Every structure is written in structure tokens, then in C-alpha cells.
């Protein structure tokens, strides 16, 4: 709380200047207020027409239409500032700097996929076309059903680093997990290893400060904050929710696990913390390097750090008999895109499934199209299940998530709540054949407003471990039933209107 207060206090002068500028303009134009209001109301009507014709999530458009129609001038200004993706342009300009590109024989692998499963090949081709990240042979991926299991392996791999270590997380917080990693990072930096750490400025606003960032730099660790909060602006809403640890271009860790002690159950917050992740090796690691460097380059120079505009050299370790274990496509889900790739991917997986589609998510506020895709799949006989927390971390968001239960359950979707505690895992699994693990929650913020990383696997042995974990978690969960109380249904309707804001 102290760190949050200091951060807010630091930003207050900039916010005050913004407010003063608005007041000055308002005072200067006050003699023409009637004419200006008429012009603004006409522009608000035109803005409504623009929103109606725009290709966007229907629930998001509905919210903004209600706000603008109720408060034409203020609503239009708020939309232009926070609701319109044109506000991402400053971020886009930074991220469109010279960026490394992963080299892979995507055409050859896509040919193999088309022979094995033409319909799934179309899904992989779609993600590749939209993101530019190629499909690769999965050379080795290990699944972790808990952060407790992943943490020791992370430490051991870090100790063996020889060339570089890249770290990128939404939340970093002092404790056993983060401090143990930092101790190794300091040792490696002193030994000449290139160590770089990036964190989201808002995600870590209450846990990590600029002063602590400078202390890391003094120890030889290059450190950058993503999209730092300096004032109130349109880019404030777009956060870096990615989570990845990359070692020598040979190993990458990712999943829902941040660098804080609750993620490894070293401390208890909201009961038992259920999170998942995986360790991947070989050439697919290059995709994670590219994701990291693109964001690092966008903010490094302004924070007095060195950018890297080419992928580091990587020579795979010699393996006598390397047997590919299915395929993997790791990509960045970006609000800069015209559509949410992960949202469209999940809709596509639901449409092609014939037996089951299971989800892990801590928050459930899906857009109307994803919600309908779940219901349509369930109504045609697909076993659609969602595992949610039994103990929430944010009560209002949990109540909002529950507002979706009845509609989904009436459509045949099964929803489970994990009895031991909080579920922070993010995954999708369909028909023992294809699955996705990454940082993407089934909520509007994660699907449409955050930068996320997601990995789509096909016929990989990791999916068997993921399924076994789903089954184990469902055994520890309670199947929910619809609640028909009218008062609750009214509250649910109100909450659903504002779901895109949360």
C-alpha cells in the first residue's frame, strides 16, 4: 500500500497539470459553450454511428453506446481517450521499431499439418497469418500442475545459464521466489551473463518501485518497466500481462505463474493457489525471445537501457535421436490487432471440437461471441467445462464472473469451482488433440486489452499431462447449479453491462 501511495503521489503533478489545461480551455471557450455543446452532441451522434459500424466485441460496443447516449459530451471524450484503439498508436509506434523475426520453415510444417488434420491446419494458419509467429516442431515441453513444482526447475536452469537471461512478468514481488531468482541473476550478471528483467508498471505498482529498479541496475541487472505510469492517457489501459523466463535461447518457462510467493504456495492467499505452467526447449524458444525483445526495445532506450535489434545466436544442443513431440505455435496476443487472436482461437477450437473442450480461468467475463460459441458447442453435444476459483481474489470480479453462470449452464456448459482455493491457471484443451496454455484469462481485459502470450499445442505429450491435471482439479471442485432468484438475475444484468471495464 505504501508503494502504491508513493506512485500515485508521484503521478499527481502530471494529473493536476492535465486537469488545469482542461479547465483553462473550458474557461477560454465558455462564451461559446452553447455552440460548442451543439457541435459536440452532433459529433457524439456521429461517433455512435462509427461505433455501430466498427468491427468490435458487441458487449464492448454496447457499454460505450450506453455511456455516450446518456452523457453525449463526456461519454464521447471518454471513449476517444480510453475506448478507442487509436489510443494504442503511441505503443504501436514503439513496438513497430526494428524487430527481430523468427526464422522457421513454416510452409513445410504446415504441409505436414494439412496432411494430418486439414481443419486444424487452418486454425494454425490463421494464427500464423495474424501474428507472424510460425508453427514449429515441439522438441520438448514439460507440464507443471503447480508453481510449487516449476520453481525448483527454474532455479536449477538459471544456475546453468552461460550467455543471457531474459525475464518478463506482470507481477514481481519480494519474497522467497523473486529474491531467490534475483540472487542468481546478480551472480550471473557479475559473471558476464547478459541479464535483462522487464515488468509491468501497473501490475507491480504495489510491489515494486523505481528505486528498486535502480538497485537492480546497480547490481548489473538491466531492468525496464513496461509502459510506466506518468500521467493519465489512452495507453494507460494496455498492460503487459505476459510471463516468461528465457535462458540462453535454449529454455523458456511460461504460464500463469508470476514471481511472487503465493504462486508457489510459500504463503497462503485465498486458500491453495492453483496455477500451471510449462518449460519448453529447442527452436520454439526463439518465439519467446522475439516477444521479449520487441517489448524490451520499445522501452529500453527511454529508460537508459541497451536495445537488441537482432535475435541472439542460438545453436541447438546436439541430440542423437530427436523425436518431434507434436507441434507448437507460441504467439503474442495484442490489443494493437484489429481482433483478439486468442478470443478468435478459442471460438475456433469450440467450433471444431467433437468430444470436449475444457477451460481453466480465474475470471469469467467472456464477450458475447465467445459465450455463444461455448453454448453452441454444448448444445450440439460437446462436453464444455470451465474450472473457476472456489475462493476469489477479487470479490466484485468474482461476483461479476458468476453473473455469467446461469446463461452458460442453461446452454449446457458445466462450471466447476475449485474447493481448495484460488485458480489462477489459464488453459484450453480439446479432444486430446489440441490445447493452449499461456497467460490469457477468459475476461475482457485479458482477451482484448492486455498484451498476452499463448502457446497452441497439437498432438504433444504435454496435453496428456494437462488433461490428467484437469481431471484431478475437477475431482477437487464442486459442479455449480443455476440460481433462479429474480433479484440476483437483475444484479447480474447490471454487472454484465460493466464487465468490459473489468
Amino acid at each position: 500500500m505504501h508503494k502504491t501511495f508513493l506512485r500515485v503521489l508521484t503521478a499527481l503533478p502530471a494529473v493536476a497539470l492535465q486537469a488545469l489545461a482542461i479547465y483553462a480551455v473550458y474557461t477560454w471557450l465558455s462564451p461559446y459553450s452553447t455552440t460548442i455543446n451543439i457541435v459536440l452532441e452532433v459529433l457524439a451522434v456521429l461517433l455512435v454511428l462509427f461505433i455501430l459500424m466498427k468491427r468490435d466485441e458487441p458487449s464492448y460496443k454496447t457499454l460505450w453506446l450506453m455511456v455516450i447516449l446518456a452523457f453525449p459530451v463526456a461519454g464521447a471524450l471518454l471513449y476517444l481517450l480510453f475506448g478507442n484503439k487509436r489510443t494504442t498508436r503511441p505503443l504501436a509506434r514503439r513496438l513497430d521499431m526494428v524487430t527481430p523475426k523468427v526464422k522457421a520453415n513454416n510452409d513445410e510444417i504446415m504441409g505436414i499439418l494439412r496432411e494430418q488434420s486439414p481443419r486444424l491446419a487452418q486454425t494454425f494458419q490463421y494464427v500464423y497469418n495474424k501474428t507472424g509467429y510460425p508453427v514449429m516442431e515441439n522438441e520438448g515441453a514439460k507440464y507443471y500442475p503447480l508453481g510449487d513444482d516449476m520453481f525448483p526447475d527454474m532455479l536449477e536452469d538459471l544456475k546453468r545459464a552461460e550467455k543471457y537471461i531474459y525475464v518478463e512478468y506482470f507481477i514481481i514481488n519480494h519474497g522467497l521466489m523473486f529474491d531467490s531468482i534475483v540472487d542468481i541473476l546478480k551472480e550471473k550478471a557479475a559473471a558476464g551473463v547478459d541479464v535483462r528483467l522487464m515488468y509491468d508498471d501497473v501490475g507491480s505498482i504495489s510491489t515494486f518501485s523505481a528505486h528498486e529498479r535502480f538497485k537492480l541496475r546497480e547490481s548489473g541487472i538491466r531492468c525496464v518497466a513496461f509502459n510506466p505510469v506518468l500521467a493519465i492517457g489512452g495507453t494507460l489501459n494496455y498492460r503487459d500481462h505476459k510471463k516468461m523466463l528465457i535462458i540462453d535461447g535454449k529454455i523458456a518457462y511460461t504460464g500463469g505463474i508470476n514471481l511472487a510467493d503465493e504462486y508457489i504456495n510459500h504463503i497462503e492467499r485465498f486458500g491453495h493457489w492453483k496455477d500451471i505452467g510449462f518449460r519448453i526447449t529447442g527452436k520454439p524458444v526463439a518465439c519467446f525471445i522475439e516477444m521479449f525483445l520487441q517489448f524490451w526495445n520499445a522501452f529500453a532506450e527511454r529508460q537508459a537501457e541497451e536495445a537488441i535489434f537482432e535475435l541472439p545466436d542460438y545453436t541447438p544442443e546436439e541430440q542423437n535421436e530427436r523425436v518431434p513431440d507434436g507441434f507448437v505455435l507460441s504467439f503474442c496476443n495484442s490489443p494493437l490487432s484489429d481482433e483478439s487472436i486468442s478470443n478468435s482461437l478459442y471460438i475456433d477450437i469450440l467450433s471444431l471440437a467433437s468430444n470436449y473442450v475444457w477451460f481453466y480461468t480465474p475470471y469469467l467475463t467472456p464477450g458475447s461471441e465467445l459465450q455463444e460459441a461455448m453454448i453452441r458447442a454444448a448444445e450440439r453435444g460437446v462436453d464444455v467445462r470451465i474450472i473457476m476459483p472456489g475462493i476469489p481474489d477479487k470479490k466484485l470480479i468474482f461476483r461479476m464472473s458468476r453473473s455469467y453462470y446461469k446463461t452458460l449452464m442453461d446452454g449446457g456448459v458445466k462450471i466447476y469451482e475449485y474447493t481448495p482455493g484460488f485458480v489462477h491457471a489459464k488453459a484450453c484443451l480439446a479432444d486430446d488433440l489440441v490445447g493452449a496454455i499461456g497467460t490469457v484469462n477468459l475476461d475482457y481485459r485479458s482477451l482484448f486489452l492486455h498484451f498476452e502470450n499463448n502457446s497452441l499445442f497439437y498432438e504433444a505429450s504435454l496435453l496428456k499431462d494437462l488433461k490428467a491435471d484437469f481431471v484431478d482439479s475437477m475431482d477437487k471442485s464442486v459442479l455449480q447449479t443455476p440460481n433462479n432468484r429474480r433479484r440476483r438475475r437483475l444484479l447480474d444484468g447490471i454487472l454484465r453491462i460493466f464487465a468490459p471495464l473489468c
Side-chain angles (χ1 to χ4, degrees):
M1 182 62 71
H2 176 67
K3 290 178 182 176
T4 305
F5 175 75
L6 289 177
R7 290 298 310 281
V8 171
L9 193 64
T10 303
L12 277 179
V15 175
L17 285 173
Q18 287 177 304
L20 184 62
I22 293 171
Y23 175 76
V25 171
Y26 177 79
T27 303
W28 177 55
L29 295 175
S30 59
Y32 315 100
S33 59
T34 302
T35 304
I36 291 172
N37 282 334
I38 292 172
V39 171
L40 289 176
E41 287 185 12
V42 171
L43 291 175
V45 172
L46 294 175
L47 185 58
V48 167
L49 295 175
F50 167 76
I51 294 172
L52 285 172
M53 293 185 293
K54 189 178 180 183
R55 185 185 181 190
D56 209 340
E57 166 59 34
S59 58
Y60 191 60
K61 293 200 292 187
T62 299
L63 170 64
W64 282 110
L65 288 172
M66 291 179 65
V67 171
I68 293 171
L69 290 174
F71 310 99
V73 177
L77 291 174
L78 285 172
Y79 176 80
L80 292 173
L81 184 59
F82 296 109
N84 185 9
K85 284 193 176 182
R86 290 178 183 273
T87 57
T88 63
R89 284 181 176 176
L91 278 180
R93 284 194 292 269
R94 291 189 182 184
L95 294 171
D96 283 343
M97 296 166 65
V98 179
T99 305
K101 292 296 178 185
V102 176
K103 296 178 181 178
N105 195 344
N106 197 71
D107 292 339
E108 180 180 335
I109 292 179
M110 285 305 304
I112 298 172
L113 275 174
R114 290 188 188 97
E115 290 179 4
Q116 295 183 6
S117 178
R119 177 60 184 85
L120 270 173
Q122 292 177 336
T123 300
F124 277 85
Q125 186 69 50
Y126 161 78
V127 177
Y128 169 69
N129 290 343
K130 291 292 184 179
T131 66
Y133 288 92
V135 187
M136 293 188 175
E137 290 181 339
N138 176 35
E139 299 179 17
K142 180 179 180 180
Y143 177 75
Y144 298 96
L146 289 172
D148 321 26
D149 303 322
M150 192 167 86
F151 178 49
D153 285 1
M154 294 170 72
L155 294 182
E156 289 305 311
D157 283 331
L158 282 168
K159 291 174 183 177
R160 290 191 287 266
E162 297 177 348
K163 296 180 179 178
Y164 58 89
I165 301 170
Y166 299 155
V167 186
E168 179 180 358
Y169 284 86
F170 182 63
I171 295 172
I172 56 176
N173 190 11
H174 289 289
L176 174 66
M177 187 181 194
F178 181 64
D179 292 342
S180 298
I181 289 173
V182 168
D183 286 343
I184 299 174
L185 297 183
K186 289 178 179 178
E187 292 177 7
K188 291 298 177 179
V193 175
D194 181 15
V195 180
R196 299 170 188 259
L197 185 152
M198 180 163 52
Y199 65 94
D200 186 82
D201 198 46
V202 170
S204 301
I205 194 169
S206 65
T207 60
F208 203 76
S209 67
H211 174 69
E212 290 166 305
R213 183 168 76 244
F214 295 137
K215 285 178 65 177
L216 287 183
R217 289 177 177 175
E218 290 173 356
S219 65
I221 299 171
R222 293 183 168 93
C223 190
V224 162
F226 174 83
N227 195 12
V229 179
L230 302 175
I232 296 176
T235 62
L236 178 65
N237 214 20
Y238 306 103
R239 309 312 316 172
D240 180 10
H241 198 242
K242 301 197 300 299
K243 303 163 183 69
M244 60 183 75
L245 169 65
I246 305 160
I247 302 167
D248 289 344
K250 299 178 180 180
I251 299 168
Y253 287 87
T254 189
I257 300 158
N258 283 296
L259 302 187
D261 282 357
E262 60 267 33
Y263 293 87
I264 58 171
N265 285 294
H266 183 67
I267 61 172
E268 182 175 318
R269 293 188 69 203
F270 319 113
H272 182 263
W273 196 285
K274 169 64 180 174
D275 216 332
I276 65 173
F278 66 89
R279 173 188 188 268
I280 196 164
T281 58
K283 292 180 181 177
V285 176
C287 294
F288 291 93
I289 299 172
E290 177 170 329
M291 282 186 260
F292 176 85
L293 290 182
Q294 183 183 23
F295 281 70
W296 178 271
N297 291 345
F299 290 92
E301 185 179 350
R302 289 197 173 191
Q303 296 179 41
E305 291 291 1
E306 178 188 355
I308 300 177
F309 294 114
E310 292 184 5
L311 284 173
D313 292 335
Y314 163 62
T315 303
E317 295 178 350
E318 292 293 331
Q319 298 184 25
N320 295 328
E321 294 184 7
R322 182 177 58 81
V323 179
D325 182 18
F327 301 93
V328 61
L329 195 169
S330 296
F331 64 94
C332 177
N333 193 78
S334 169
L336 306 181
S337 174
D338 291 336
E339 60 183 294
S340 166
I341 309 305
S342 290
N343 186 65
S344 299
L345 171 62
Y346 293 148
I347 291 172
D348 200 52
I349 288 174
L350 285 158
S351 72
L352 63 84
S354 57
N355 296 318
Y356 73 87
V357 183
W358 297 344
F359 293 95
Y360 271 128
T361 184
Y363 315 113
L364 183 63
T365 56
S368 56
E369 293 178 344
L370 180 55
Q371 181 179 235
E372 287 304 310
M374 291 176 176
I375 292 172
R376 285 195 299 270
E379 288 178 339
R380 71 171 191 272
V382 177
D383 180 16
V384 182
R385 303 186 185 191
I386 303 169
I387 299 181
M388 287 281 294
I391 300 175
D393 65 334
K394 304 177 182 70
K395 291 184 178 180
L396 178 60
I397 304 302
F398 186 61
R399 182 67 194 85
M400 192 172 289
S401 295
R402 280 183 160 180
S403 74
Y404 287 81
Y405 281 17
K406 186 177 186 303
T407 301
L408 289 168
M409 289 188 288
D410 286 347
V413 178
K414 300 180 180 71
I415 300 176
Y416 293 79
E417 290 186 356
Y418 181 71
T419 305
F422 181 61
V423 169
H424 192 256
K426 308 97 165 43
C428 168
L429 179 65
D431 293 352
D432 295 347
L433 193 64
V434 64
I437 304 173
T439 68
V440 183
N441 304 318
L442 298 185
D443 65 359
Y444 194 91
R445 183 158 292 280
S446 203
L447 290 168
F448 296 96
L449 297 179
H450 282 167
F451 295 94
E452 310 275 358
N453 65 275
N454 211 353
S455 292
L456 180 63
F457 288 90
Y458 169 67
E459 286 200 332
S461 58
L462 167 144
L463 298 178
K464 296 178 182 178
D465 297 328
L466 176 59
K467 183 178 183 180
D469 186 44
F470 264 113
V471 172
D472 180 67
S473 295
M474 282 184 274
D475 288 341
K476 299 173 182 175
S477 302
V478 175
L479 180 63
Q480 302 300 295
T481 56
N483 190 310
N484 291 309
R485 286 188 298 172
R486 290 185 177 181
R487 185 175 62 182
R488 176 159 291 187
R489 289 168 64 186
L490 176 62
L491 176 61
D492 288 351
I494 296 172
L495 289 172
R496 295 269 290 276
I497 294 173
F498 296 98
L501 296 178
C502 300

